[in-house]
Amino acid sequence: MSAVKRFFHMSVAALLAALCLFTGMPVRASAKTGSTAWPVAVDGGRKHSVILYDDGTVVTLGDDSKGQRSTSGWRNIVAVSTFYDHTLGLKSDGTVVAAGENEMGQCDVEDWTDIVAVAAGTRHSVGVREDGTVVAAGANEAGQCEVAGWKNVVQVAANATSTFGLTGDGKVLMAGSFQNRTLSRWSDIVSLSVSSNHVVGVHSDGTVSALGANDRGQLDNLEKWEDTVQVAAGYGFTVGLRETGGVWVHGCDDHNEHAAMGFDGCVAIGTGIEHILGIRADGTLWAKGTNDCGQCDVYRLNQRLCSP
């Protein structure tokens, strides 16, 4: 019997153990079926991290002082977002769940339906409907929730006082305090990321555009990036994922953020305020940056089923 056939004749528990031992792959049991689940997306908040697995479950690490990690019962999740102290999960049926701080009503999303994308800001939440229109809930002191007239939107991003919408034709819409005519002239954008004070966009040719504060060098030399497939903006730094799986980091290095340039073989990245997350092609989770609340303790997820 071949090695592959022997694996398939093992129990699930034995198979997981064998994978851990012989490949070093980070596996964990699915909450629903007991089968292997793999991380597919990561995002970071002020002091917590969110990991979405391909079985629709979510794991969080770090600070839970606002209840932002109350996601253990979430199921059928297809996308996650966090920015500060609340966490959003988009379900496969188009509804949205939320956990964490709700002082301004940013978690009051239970009535949303037909949603295909979500974004969490500091104190507001945004969702894209299937028809390309946008809904928002929470703080609106700067007009960040005034998105009712938006159309043809495919992605949203948010920070403390602004909301950004990416349209199907590659244009960027703005609501809130960040008003910039240059941003409105961007074209051919395929993905966006924002921090508290800068916004970064990836063009379809893999080049990058950025606007906003550059006090920590977070915008320096981004025009030289190429073959970029994803960007993630943190507080004073910018991270880029290349087609090769390598990672760029420009800007602040106060919390060892630049160590993320040692990541390789990555397929997805995410940032918190002061930390960086990555998923490798083999499922390994990496994290660098501030870890005062355990938001970077991904080794626990990588190795917990491999422990004796």
Side-chain angles (χ1 to χ4, degrees):
M1 184 183 292
S2 71
V4 172
K5 287 182 179 179
R6 283 197 299 271
F7 272 141
F8 279 107
H9 280 76
M10 292 180 184
S11 67
V12 170
L15 177 57
L16 291 174
L19 284 169
C20 289
L21 178 62
F22 294 113
T23 71
M25 291 183 179
V27 295
R28 73 177 187 88
S30 164
K32 292 192 297 183
T33 66
S35 61
T36 304
W38 295 87
V40 293
V42 286
D43 201 7
R46 182 174 62 92
K47 290 182 180 294
H48 76 292
S49 300
V50 186
I51 301 99
L52 173 64
Y53 285 83
D54 63 0
D55 65 349
T57 60
V58 174
V59 173
T60 52
L61 302 171
D63 182 35
D64 194 30
S65 60
K66 304 291 186 180
Q68 60 268 50
R69 290 182 55 196
S70 300
T71 62
S72 60
W74 290 6
R75 297 291 183 270
N76 302 315
I77 304 298
V78 296
V80 290
S81 179
T82 185
F83 187 81
Y84 206 68
D85 284 337
H86 75 289
T87 306
L88 299 177
L90 173 61
K91 301 186 71 173
S92 58
D93 64 0
T95 60
V96 180
V97 289
E101 183 179 357
N102 195 32
E103 181 179 356
M104 301 301 296
Q106 59 265 50
C107 290
D108 295 341
V109 297
E110 63 276 1
D111 294 333
W112 290 3
T113 58
D114 300 320
I115 303 298
V116 296
V118 292
T122 301
R123 297 183 302 155
H124 75 292
S125 301
V126 191
V128 181
R129 293 193 187 99
E130 189 174 357
D131 63 2
T133 60
V134 178
V135 291
N140 192 36
E141 73 276 12
Q144 61 264 48
C145 287
E146 296 174 6
V147 296
W150 287 7
K151 298 178 180 179
N152 191 31
V153 174
V154 296
Q155 182 195 340
V156 282
N159 59 19
T161 56
S162 299
T163 301
F164 304 84
L166 175 62
T167 66
D169 57 358
K171 299 292 185 179
V172 179
L173 307 175
M174 297 166 285
S177 64
F178 193 102
Q179 297 294 329
N180 187 297
R181 292 183 179 179
T182 301
L183 182 60
S184 66
R185 293 197 294 268
W186 282 7
S187 61
D188 205 24
I189 301 294
V190 294
S191 69
L192 284 175
S193 182
V194 302
S195 75
S196 58
N197 56 14
H198 75 291
V199 55
V200 189
V202 180
H203 297 273
S204 63
D205 63 358
T207 59
V208 173
S209 291
L211 286 170
N214 193 33
D215 54 314
R216 307 305 304 276
Q218 58 264 50
L219 306 187
D220 288 349
N221 299 314
L222 299 191
E223 71 279 359
K224 296 180 181 179
W225 287 8
E226 57 185 15
D227 301 325
T228 308
V229 295
Q230 185 188 355
V231 287
Y235 185 72
F237 62 91
T238 305
V239 186
L241 174 62
R242 305 189 66 188
E243 288 182 356
T244 59
V247 174
W248 303 96
V249 184
H250 284 179
C252 173
D253 193 30
D254 291 348
H255 307 283
N256 201 30
E257 290 92 342
H258 285 203
M261 286 190 283
F263 293 3
D264 61 10
C266 281
V267 294
I269 54 172
T271 56
I273 300 297
E274 295 178 340
H275 67 290
I276 300 169
L277 301 161
I279 303 174
R280 296 182 70 190
D282 66 359
T284 306
L285 290 162
W286 278 1
K288 295 293 181 182
T290 298
N291 194 34
D292 53 343
C293 291
Q295 59 267 47
C296 289
D297 288 347
V298 296
Y299 68 89
R300 298 178 180 177
L301 300 177
N302 289 344
Q303 300 180 9
R304 64 185 181 182
L305 291 189
C306 300
S307 301

